[in-house]
Amino acid sequence: MKAELEQIRREAEQVLASVSNLQDLTNFRVEYLGKKGKLTQILRGMGSLPPEERPKIGQLANEIRAYIEGEIEKKKKVLEEEALNQRLKAETIDVTMPGRRHHRGKLHPLSIVLNEIKDIFLGMGFEIAEGPEVEWDYYNFEALNIPKNHPARDTQDTFYITENILLRTHTSPTQIRVMERQKPPIKIIVPGRVYRSDAVDATHSPIFHQVEGLVIDKNITMGDLRGVLDVFAKELFGPQTRTRFRPHHFPFTEPSAEMDVSCTTCGGEGCRVCSYTGWIEILGAGMVHPKVLKYGGIDPEQYSGFAFGMGLDRITNLKYGIDDIRLLFENDIRFLEQF
Amino acid sequence: MLVPLKWLKEYVKIDVPVHELAYHLTMTGTKVEGITKQGEGISNVVVGRICDIHPHPNADKLVVCIVDVGDRKLQIVTGASNVKEGQLVPVALDGATLPGGYRITVTSLRGVESYGMLCSGEELGLTEEDYPGAEVDGILILQEEYPLGMDIKEALGLDDEVLEFEITSNRPDCLSVIGIAREAAVALSSTFNPPRIEVKRGVGDVNVEARVVVEAPDLCPRYCARVVKDVKIAPSPRWMQRRLAAAGVRPINNIVDITNYVMLEMGHPMHAFDLDKVAGRTIVVRRARDGEKLVTLDDKERLLTSDMLVIADVEKAIGLAGVMGGANTEITDETRNILLESALFDRGCIRKTAKALGIRSEASLRFEKGLDIHNAMAALDRAAQLIQQLGVGTVVEGVIDVCHGSLEKRVLEIPYKRVNDLLGINLSADEMADILRKLEFKVDVKGEYMEIEVPSFRQDIEGVADIAEEVARIYGYNNIPMTLMEGTISRGKKTRKQKLIDKVKDVLVGTGLYEVVTYSFTSPRVYESIGITDPQLIPKTVKILNPLGEDQSIMRTTLIPSLLEVLSHNYNRGIERCQIFEIGTAFLPKSLPLEDLPEEKPLLTIAEYGPDVDYYDLKGKVEVLLEELGLLDEAEFVPHVHPTFHPGRTALLKLEGKEIGILGEIHPKVAQNYQIEERVLVAELQLDILLSLAKEERKYRPLPKYPAVERDLAVVVKKEVLAAQVESCIKELGGQLLEKVKLFDVYEGAQIPQGYKSLAYSLSYRAADRTLTDEEVNSLHDSIVKGLEQKLGARLR
């Protein structure tokens, strides 16, 4: 009987070696260790053994059972591992195929750039003010030192609603409105939509957007204006950006200036974008005209201030290299999805 | 303002290259917009004489010329018909270049060799202003003798550079060569040499020859006149013509050219009248009569009004003061005696007149900016001097000068510290005075003050700020040290509304919408396009008096048409999906005609088409927005009918009983008006109300400790019964223990009677303090079923 048991062990070893899947392994277990399995069968014959041999054979049988079970477990692990590996292999996908995109929209480029500009000025302690787009002639012109029949009105071809009501030609009227309701210190930017009766072409639109700035306090200097705008330009266009002021004329500031930044395309070497000058004009600025302060109810002997205004559309186009302002208002999805 | 460099150099020493001059002028406030090189692109074109012309053997329309170019004779074929033997013409030699990059080489024209090309004025880039005859159809025939073989640029004086300036409205003094020269001298630290004006003693007495009566002294502070007799009208000399042409003024005849030359040189407009046609030889400066007519020099009849100023004689108007002369006293070839006018007119009056009549003349552009009362006399003398120099006529002795304006000097007292304080620099009074003196201010430093006499040509200088600008621009704007406001540190922050708008945009972008920006004016016909035909329903609008066109003539009251146009644009370009929103302003007049500013109402408008886009997609987006604003629980969606929308797929959004807006599918007819053949969904919400109701505060609710019990409920109700009714009924009956209700299926068809629908909900019950028992849930669930039966006639499916 001992020999039979040894025979079963050897046989089991051989058969197990050839088992190649989990189902066969289950069958193998049943075949050898099940209630009707080979080992059980042999043990049934234990009764015919002399009593003194029984414990020995019993022990041997248990050893063999334990051994086979151990081997089955080992085999099972190997086979499970193999099966998992096979499944993983079968599940291989083409990771280069396109992903399922969550469909998300985008802000308009004008909003993106405006948000950047707002953040820069908020960081310098400015607040954001607003004013009406349909405006009194008084706020748009008179109180900004542009009386009726002043030639400066020529540069701002105006849409009129009535003799005294118009579509604001700039965001500057909000300067006066803020001065009227707030004592200095005043430190605001005014983003907004403005209107000029220009025919539409690649660089002109009858509707466009400005960001106005106004600071009024004691001891505000033109040096402060230069400093603030230099910080702004470096934040918006990058730390390598240089700025320069050129004298200019606006009726509502004196002294007045235009500010250029070193060309954002060539860095100042000269290229097509900057007409080979190395500079690009981005805004008008100046010290608030004493008459304008007076119109706003602020004493020019006590306070001084600066103001600036920039074209948001132009700056947006500059930042993104957009060569036609009409694209901003056409809203072609293929354009909007680029930002 | 165009200024030829050579002319400028006559009055200021310039020994730097032109681009350097331009840089220094620009950086001190006289902005150079561009520099043009005359004759640019022309090379190897010379003066030649046509010696012989014979017909082309193979072509009727061509002739063969033998042309002498000095050192040789060339055979050249031309198609022009205006050539004659003996004429001098521009000849482009083999290898010559012409403006626009054209290159001339030896070619064969119909079998005859042509060793160059005879040039037209156009081919040389010339206009009639540059040279008489430049615009005729044919070869440019030179009118004077030049050495054969001479470079054509030299012959025609095309060797100058012309600077184009942008002169701002405060500096009419710089609308002149002398004004620019003065600035250039300061900018370059060079010397300024204005022309010396001297009139030789004339004959007779001007007061015998003419009389001037100023009846409107308020509009004419000064009127100066001279008389010139025995004038010989002829072309002005070539040098003068060349300068006028380079400055963009067409040469006409010697007298007119001299007045224009003086205007360009000195910045003061002048006019010459044919004195023999001035009735009574008397100039009357008066207001026009209403309805009075005048034919101006451009041969147009002008209808005048009493707020315009005319120059008249004793019978009739003979000129529009400061704007344009009259045809009735125009200088002609027969003119013998002239009256030269150099006056000062009221700037506002000139501007109004020019605007009303639609005339923008070189004269009116200068007068309306405010001119120098002293310069009027200087300009008149300069013209007399040129007339004498060129021998055009006999200047009569004396000047008529009717002056009502003040000739007094203006003196300002400016504390120099204020200038430093405004600029953020620290110059001494003497340093400032030095700068100002260069600009022809007279300065006395008196302690803290500078006593400044303002030159009469600087009408723009009024106070400390103006003086600061003068100092700063010469000191150098870019030499002012950059500083960041000293003193109070302020905190920059957005208002609640500004933050909420940012949030709204953020949420909408997250739902897949692209932000768009569209025009805020539109066509009055848009209401018809969006299906609003009942005049009662068309809103009152703000109208633009001078729109660019009918299509952009009213301020919008809704953003829907603008967004439909964007959808249409994209749809017509084959774009499969277009989902957009805009936050924009509607303009609502309080009354018409407008007496006060209109209400500017911010609207949030969403529009979309595309696969899987339907009412529920749009509503879902609105719900996400409401949820983010803390408003979803109160939101009511009420079925609504509106002509722009599909009558069965449209709802009003209400919050706290207030109408917030509309959402739904666009009526197919409206979609068709915008050429969109798909379902189009639109929502328009009143942003201000939405934001005022928004609840930003969020409070943490503890996570549940006890399990929920789920029950499904399917009821059959009449089709008209709204899901919202069923849901609110369930919620009401379920009370606090009912945690969630979710509609998961809607079914009509087999097993459901006609006119009914089945709604299936999953209900979730939960108590915060215990595990609910089956009995509790069952009894609550049953009461819900019964309640639905009673209230909505629902029956369990």
Side-chain angles (χ1 to χ4, degrees), chain A residues 239-288:
Chain A
Q240 73 293 341
T241 308
R242 286 166 293 124
T243 58
R244 74 170 191 188
F245 269 42
R246 276 181 291 101
H248 197 71
H249 172 67
F250 304 106
F252 35 96
T253 50
E254 187 79 22
S256 301
E258 281 183 335
M259 187 173 89
D260 299 334
V261 294
S262 48
C263 179
T264 51
T265 303
C266 65
E269 298 287 311
C271 68
R272 200 180 49 79
V273 175
C274 58
S275 309
Y276 302 95
T277 62
W279 295 96
I280 291 177
E281 177 200 323
I282 63 157
L283 56 81
M287 302 306 291
V288 181

Side-chain angles (χ1 to χ4, degrees), chain A residues 102-108 110-111 115 118-119 121-122 124-136 149-154 158-163 165 167 177 185 187 193 195-200 204-207 209 215 217 219-228 230-231 243-249 251 253-258 281 287 289-291 300-301 304-306 328-334 336-337, chain B residues 23 26-31 166 168-170 347-348 351-352 355 360 365 368-369 418 420-424 460 462 464-470 472-473 477-486 488-495 497-498 502 505-506 508-521 542-548 552 555-556 566 569-570 573 575 577-582 585 587 594-598 600:
Chain A
H102 171 66
H103 187 64
R104 195 182 150 83
K106 286 187 176 174
L107 286 180
H108 193 277
L110 287 173
S111 287
N115 283 344
K118 282 179 181 171
D119 281 345
F121 285 106
L122 284 167
M124 287 195 273
F126 284 68
E127 293 188 8
I128 302 165
E130 282 142 37
E133 293 172 29
V134 178
E135 184 57 282
W136 296 105
N149 286 313
H150 191 282
R153 291 197 176 201
D154 283 353
T158 310
F159 289 115
Y160 282 93
I161 305 294
T162 70
E163 200 186 332
I165 298 177
L167 299 183
R177 286 179 172 275
K187 212 169 164 188
R193 182 172 274 212
Y195 302 81
R196 290 189 197 173
S197 64
D198 279 330
V200 182
H204 292 90
S205 166
I207 294 182
H209 302 82
V215 172
D217 202 351
N219 306 317
I220 297 295
T221 71
M222 197 159 170
D224 295 330
L225 172 61
R226 293 222 318 131
V228 165
D230 191 67
V231 168
T243 58
R244 74 170 191 188
F245 269 42
R246 276 181 291 101
H248 197 71
H249 172 67
T253 50
E254 187 79 22
S256 301
E258 281 183 335
E281 177 200 323
M287 302 306 291
H289 199 291
K291 286 184 187 169
E301 300 291 320
S304 57
F306 64 73
L328 296 174
F329 298 96
E330 201 174 72
N331 300 295
D332 195 303
I333 291 289
R334 295 163 299 182
L336 296 176
E337 66 191 6
Chain B
Y23 172 79
T26 297
M27 296 310 285
T28 51
T30 314
K31 189 178 180 191
E166 180 199 340
T168 51
S169 62
N170 60 327
R347 36 195 297 201
R351 187 177 153 83
K352 264 189 274 178
K355 252 200 142 167
R360 315 301 309 277
L365 283 175
E368 67 177 31
K369 294 185 173 90
R418 292 255 342 251
N420 278 331
D421 287 350
L422 194 60
L423 298 175
D460 58 309
E462 294 177 337
V464 62
D466 306 297
I467 294 295
E469 180 171 272
E470 295 305 299
R473 69 188 181 91
Y477 272 16
N478 297 306
N479 293 326
I480 298 172
M482 291 186 196
T483 48
L484 289 169
M485 289 133 341
E486 297 164 13
T488 48
I489 293 171
S490 54
R491 196 162 58 95
K493 61 175 197 306
K494 292 181 181 172
T495 61
K497 192 178 143 204
Q498 287 161 355
D502 285 352
K505 286 189 178 185
D506 199 41
L508 294 177
V509 163
T511 65
L513 297 172
Y514 284 90
E515 187 192 14
V516 299
V517 172
T518 62
Y519 279 5
S520 32
F521 40 53
V542 175
K543 292 180 182 62
I544 300 169
L545 289 178
N546 55 334
L548 287 177
Q552 303 181 335
M555 300 307 286
R556 61 186 175 182
V566 173
H569 168 95
N570 282 287
R573 279 155 188 80
I575 290 156
R577 169 194 299 279
C578 183
Q579 298 173 282
I580 56 174
F581 77 97
E582 178 170 17
T585 307
F587 300 84
L594 215 56
E595 279 161 6
D596 196 358
L597 299 185
E600 298 193 7

Side-chain angles (χ1 to χ4, degrees), chain B residues 324-556:
Chain B
M324 194 178 276
N328 49 15
T329 49
E330 187 179 359
I331 305 299
T332 66
D333 291 348
E334 286 72 46
T335 298
R336 286 294 158 261
N337 302 300
I338 63 165
L339 180 135
L340 281 175
E341 163 198 289
S342 181
L344 189 66
F345 302 113
D346 178 74
R347 36 195 297 201
C349 173
I350 298 298
R351 187 177 153 83
K352 264 189 274 178
T353 304
K355 252 200 142 167
L357 298 176
I359 307 173
R360 315 301 309 277
S361 65
E362 291 278 337
S364 72
L365 283 175
R366 284 173 171 81
F367 278 120
E368 67 177 31
K369 294 185 173 90
L371 296 179
D372 176 5
I373 195 163
H374 293 276
N375 204 26
M377 183 61 84
L380 183 64
D381 286 347
R382 175 68 172 153
Q385 178 185 20
L386 286 169
I387 284 171
Q388 289 177 337
Q389 275 177 6
L390 301 182
V392 173
T394 311
V395 175
V396 172
E397 177 60 23
V399 180
I400 300 174
D401 181 9
V402 183
C403 185
H404 298 279
S406 165
L407 296 174
E408 266 177 43
K409 306 281 182 195
R410 281 189 310 127
V411 178
L412 304 174
E413 282 205 337
I414 305 289
Y416 78 94
K417 185 175 177 297
R418 292 255 342 251
V419 175
N420 278 331
D421 287 350
L422 194 60
L423 298 175
I425 56 174
N426 196 10
L427 293 187
S428 69
D430 287 335
E431 285 169 306
M432 273 184 213
D434 274 352
I435 289 176
L436 292 168
R437 285 183 193 120
K438 285 187 200 168
L439 294 166
E440 297 188 24
F441 292 77
K442 292 195 177 113
V443 187
D444 261 346
V445 179
K446 294 186 168 170
E448 299 293 297
Y449 283 85
M450 293 185 290
E451 199 178 273
I452 301 171
E453 185 189 309
V454 180
S456 61
F457 54 84
R458 293 302 304 274
Q459 299 280 309
D460 58 309
I461 302 292
E462 294 177 337
V464 62
D466 306 297
I467 294 295
E469 180 171 272
E470 295 305 299
V471 170
R473 69 188 181 91
I474 304 305
Y475 174 73
Y477 272 16
N478 297 306
N479 293 326
I480 298 172
M482 291 186 196
T483 48
L484 289 169
M485 289 133 341
E486 297 164 13
T488 48
I489 293 171
S490 54
R491 196 162 58 95
K493 61 175 197 306
K494 292 181 181 172
T495 61
R496 171 178 183 268
K497 192 178 143 204
Q498 287 161 355
K499 282 187 214 157
L500 280 173
I501 288 179
D502 285 352
K503 180 170 187 171
V504 167
K505 286 189 178 185
D506 199 41
V507 170
L508 294 177
V509 163
T511 65
L513 297 172
Y514 284 90
E515 187 192 14
V516 299
V517 172
T518 62
Y519 279 5
S520 32
F521 40 53
T522 185
S523 163
R525 285 190 305 272
V526 290
Y527 295 103
E528 199 186 317
S529 304
I530 59 168
I532 302 178
T533 45
D534 181 352
Q536 296 283 322
L537 293 177
I538 296 177
K540 285 187 213 137
T541 57
V542 175
K543 292 180 182 62
I544 300 169
L545 289 178
N546 55 334
L548 287 177
E550 174 77 1
D551 282 354
Q552 303 181 335
S553 63
I554 63 161
M555 300 307 286
R556 61 186 175 182

Side-chain angles (χ1 to χ4, degrees), chain B residues 117-180:
Chain B
M117 185 180 92
L118 306 186
C119 303
S120 68
E122 197 188 332
E123 282 158 342
L124 292 171
L126 302 179
T127 63
E128 200 67 27
E129 272 107 63
D130 295 313
Y131 199 90
E135 283 174 23
V136 301
D137 182 22
I139 302 304
L140 175 65
I141 309 301
L142 303 178
Q143 317 211 327
E144 285 114 1
E145 279 298 317
Y146 301 101
L148 299 183
M150 186 188 210
D151 189 301
I152 196 73
K153 287 191 282 184
E154 201 187 332
L156 301 183
L158 294 177
D159 50 355
D160 206 353
E161 282 162 308
V162 180
L163 294 109
E164 186 182 356
F165 291 94
E166 180 199 340
I167 303 299
T168 51
S169 62
N170 60 327
R171 294 301 302 274
D173 62 301
C174 284
L175 290 171
S176 70
V177 182
I178 285 179
I180 303 268

